[in-house]
Amino acid sequence: YPRDGGKRKYLIICSCICHFFMLRKKRPPSDFMRRLAEYEASEIDAFRDYVFAAAHSRRGKIEHLSQSLSLEQTELLADDIFEIKMIEDLAQQLSLVALYRVVEKSMSRMFSHKWGPSFGHKAYRIEFVKKHLKGKLRVDLEMLPYFREIDELRLLNNAIKHGGQVTAELAKYERWKQGSRLTGLGPTYERLRNRVPNYIYQVGQAMKIAYRT
């Protein structure tokens, strides 16, 4: 034992060290899934930043070029402006699809961890997820915080993939009108983005997901 403190002081220090590591291990395991989802969402943010910065730069160059051209020549640049707008619209759509993909992957990971890979493969189907959580854990998925926002994201994902128009299911959320074209996707992404990691945390808590630390 250290000469200046004796046995008692040595044991107190050891106890404090052990307590520190025990506290670290008690961190909610579902927080790992939330942090992983946050990392994946941040990758989507980086993609958006790159695309929109490039589009802004390209638009500025075209506008600068148009100042030295005649009206007839400037009209030839209309296609370039249109293409930039199309790229931005596509990036907005891809962002929402990728964001819901984060949800799907997270659910698959948690189901695989708790019940095995065969269940993880089925976790992409929302009705299976609802039924399984209700039957196995008595968890009502629709009652968890952020479920409505994630369900809206799921329906947006489906609408983007299948026609780009508001479906009857999506129209049950007040921001969307059935049959209309999907618009305002930028603000929608910003509104739903932070809900994803928080939702994953809530599901992980409800499932009592446990990972070794």
Side-chain angles (χ1 to χ4, degrees), residues 103-122:
V103 176
E104 291 181 321
K105 288 193 297 182
S106 298
M107 295 300 294
S108 179
R109 288 170 182 144
M110 291 190 288
F111 268 62
S112 293
H113 179 76
K114 195 166 186 70
W115 292 295
S118 61
F119 288 89
H121 295 323
K122 299 176 183 178

Side-chain angles (χ1 to χ4, degrees), residues 10 14 39 55 57 86 105 108 123 143 148 151 162 190 199:
Y10 177 76
C14 289
Y39 167 76
S57 176
M86 291 291 291
K105 288 193 297 182
S108 179
M143 296 302 294
R148 282 182 59 82
D151 188 53
H162 304 289
E190 298 296 335
Y199 172 76

Side-chain angles (χ1 to χ4, degrees), residues 28-35 37 103 106-107 110-111 129 133 137 139-150 194-209:
S30 53
D31 186 56
F32 168 73
M33 296 304 302
R34 181 194 63 76
R35 287 183 286 124
V103 176
S106 298
M107 295 300 294
M110 291 190 288
F111 268 62
V129 170
L133 290 180
L137 303 176
V139 171
D140 187 344
L141 190 66
E142 295 187 11
M143 296 302 294
L144 294 183
Y146 310 111
F147 172 80
R148 282 182 59 82
E149 290 92 338
I150 300 306
N194 289 332
R195 299 294 192 271
V196 169
N198 293 333
Y199 172 76
I200 296 305
Y201 176 81
Q202 294 294 334
V203 176
Q205 286 283 81
M207 291 176 62
K208 296 180 172 60
I209 294 296

Side-chain angles (χ1 to χ4, degrees), residues 139-177:
V139 171
D140 187 344
L141 190 66
E142 295 187 11
M143 296 302 294
L144 294 183
Y146 310 111
F147 172 80
R148 282 182 59 82
E149 290 92 338
I150 300 306
D151 188 53
E152 181 183 357
L153 177 61
R154 177 182 69 85
L155 296 172
L156 273 166
N157 169 73
N158 292 342
I160 290 168
K161 290 180 176 179
H162 304 289
Q165 291 187 328
V166 177
T167 62
E169 284 186 294
L170 180 56
K172 70 183 181 182
Y173 294 102
E174 61 183 15
R175 295 174 179 84
W176 308 101
K177 182 178 180 181

Side-chain angles (χ1 to χ4, degrees), residues 13-179:
I13 293 172
C14 289
S15 176
C16 290
I17 293 173
C18 290
H19 185 63
F20 169 76
F21 283 104
M22 287 177 68
L23 286 175
R24 287 186 66 191
K25 288 181 178 295
K26 287 182 180 179
R27 172 182 286 183
S30 53
D31 186 56
F32 168 73
M33 296 304 302
R34 181 194 63 76
R35 287 183 286 124
L36 183 56
E38 174 61 36
Y39 167 76
E40 292 176 337
S42 71
E43 291 293 292
I44 303 172
D45 293 339
F47 159 77
R48 289 170 59 81
D49 290 343
Y50 178 82
V51 171
F52 296 130
H56 179 75
S57 176
R58 178 60 178 160
R59 185 179 285 109
K61 290 177 181 178
I62 292 174
E63 291 174 354
H64 179 73
L65 176 61
S66 66
Q67 294 176 5
S68 61
L69 301 177
S70 66
L71 178 61
E72 185 178 6
Q73 291 172 323
T74 301
E75 291 176 351
L76 298 175
L77 298 176
D79 287 344
D80 296 79
I81 295 296
F82 178 76
E83 286 177 2
I84 292 173
K85 181 64 169 60
M86 291 291 291
I87 290 170
E88 289 176 323
D89 289 346
L90 181 59
Q92 299 287 15
Q93 294 177 32
L94 289 174
S95 296
L96 287 164
V97 170
L99 191 60
Y100 188 66
R101 178 64 175 160
V102 173
V103 176
E104 291 181 321
K105 288 193 297 182
S106 298
M107 295 300 294
S108 179
R109 288 170 182 144
M110 291 190 288
F111 268 62
S112 293
H113 179 76
K114 195 166 186 70
W115 292 295
S118 61
F119 288 89
H121 295 323
K122 299 176 183 178
Y124 294 98
R125 303 200 303 268
I126 186 63
E127 293 306 322
F128 169 80
V129 170
K130 288 181 182 178
K131 183 176 179 180
H132 195 77
L133 290 180
K134 190 78 169 180
K136 293 290 185 181
L137 303 176
R138 299 185 182 278
V139 171
D140 187 344
L141 190 66
E142 295 187 11
M143 296 302 294
L144 294 183
Y146 310 111
F147 172 80
R148 282 182 59 82
E149 290 92 338
I150 300 306
D151 188 53
E152 181 183 357
L153 177 61
R154 177 182 69 85
L155 296 172
L156 273 166
N157 169 73
N158 292 342
I160 290 168
K161 290 180 176 179
H162 304 289
Q165 291 187 328
V166 177
T167 62
E169 284 186 294
L170 180 56
K172 70 183 181 182
Y173 294 102
E174 61 183 15
R175 295 174 179 84
W176 308 101
K177 182 178 180 181
Q178 183 176 355

